Amino acid sequence: MKKLFVISGSSGVGKGTVIKEFLKKHPEFKLSVSCTTRGMRAGEVHGENYFFLSKEEFQKCIENEEFLEWAEFSGNHYGTKKSFVEEYLKRGDNLILEIDTKGALNVKKLMPEAVLIFIAPPSIEELEARLRGRHTETEDAIQKRLASIKLEIENSKKFDYTIVNDTVENAVCELEKILCKN
Ligand code: 5GP
């Protein structure tokens, strides 16, 4: 049984919803909590969605080599703490990292046993509509995120699996097939 799964997907692709639905059915899987320098969105909780750090705090963690991987995304920093991943894997838990494609490929280099899964939008137009519908980002931020999609899709060619998120039910079903068989 593989223990470490990395799930990536362009912003607004609905990967958060797919993962949440999967976790409801499979409490034996845990979701890693990353660190970020981006501002907290309404409804987010420190320590649950992310550990929200200042730029200075994040920089200190980089210098102290506390991150398994970290990346800059849309002008903010995001990183996965080594200690977090090690603790879960030591306990024998199945851990899911929800990180960007660059981070995922870095994790694969360090931990080749990790299984990489990309959640793709049915179409770019659909993705843009979903991003706008979320009403959480400025136009500038939306443009930056759309620009990163091409790179993400390019990176995803090196992933182990791609799931097209046409409906949440189908995507959860595909995710179950991968996570529960590995
Ligand atoms: P959001 O700001 O929408 O929560 O996340 C933006 C992007 O950062 C998403 O693609 C998400 O998967 C990615 N991300 C979240 N945490 C991490 C992390 O620890 N490392 C990396 N490399 N990317 C992350």
Side-chain angles (χ1 to χ4, degrees):
M1 177 83 178
K2 294 269 175 58
K3 299 287 183 207
L4 186 62
F5 298 91
V6 185
I7 303 182
S8 301
S10 315
S11 326
V13 76
K15 64 181 181 301
T17 309
V18 173
I19 294 172
K20 209 161 81 187
E21 289 305 310
F22 172 84
L23 290 173
K24 266 192 216 162
K25 292 169 83 178
H26 297 277
E28 70 278 18
F29 284 81
K30 307 290 175 214
L31 184 63
S32 171
V33 182
S34 297
C35 300
T36 184
T37 60
R38 87 145 158 73
M40 214 186 261
R41 290 184 190 139
E44 288 187 327
V45 178
H46 180 83
E48 252 177 52
N49 304 90
Y50 283 105
F51 295 105
F52 294 93
L53 304 184
S54 67
K55 283 186 179 155
E56 293 73 27
E57 286 169 328
F58 199 98
Q59 189 56 37
K60 262 208 186 103
C61 293
I62 296 175
E63 283 162 18
N64 295 337
E65 298 183 2
E66 289 177 47
F67 290 124
L68 174 65
E69 63 74 38
W70 66 270
E72 196 180 332
F73 186 92
S74 279
N76 295 305
H77 286 87
Y78 296 84
T80 311
K81 282 268 184 87
K82 278 181 199 163
S83 56
F84 198 99
V85 173
E86 280 163 7
E87 193 186 312
Y88 277 85
L89 295 183
K90 218 185 287 165
R91 285 209 301 250
D93 284 336
N94 299 300
L95 188 63
I96 297 174
L97 306 186
E98 185 197 329
I99 64 178
D100 82 328
T101 51
K102 279 174 283 177
L105 294 174
N106 285 336
V107 169
K108 186 83 173 181
K109 269 187 222 149
L110 294 168
M111 304 173 90
E113 72 279 14
V115 178
L116 269 46
I117 302 148
F118 185 71
I119 301 192
S123 72
I124 302 282
E125 294 74 24
E126 172 96 357
L127 178 64
E128 186 167 355
R130 280 194 214 176
L131 263 178
R132 292 188 192 285
R134 224 160 54 172
H135 299 298
T136 53
E137 258 84 15
T138 61
E139 180 59 30
D140 184 47
I142 289 174
Q143 288 304 331
K144 274 192 188 153
R145 280 167 188 257
L146 287 174
S148 71
I149 293 171
K150 272 192 188 160
L151 176 68
E152 301 246 309
I153 290 176
E154 193 54 37
N155 284 342
S156 77
K157 290 178 185 161
K158 296 184 195 134
F159 275 42
D160 298 297
Y161 300 94
T162 293
I163 295 173
V164 176
N165 188 17
D166 46 1
T167 69
V168 174
E169 294 73 32
N170 285 348
V172 171
C173 186
E174 291 303 309
L175 198 55
E176 281 179 318
K177 281 189 207 157
I178 298 166
L179 269 62
C180 302
K181 88 162 197 269
N182 264 288

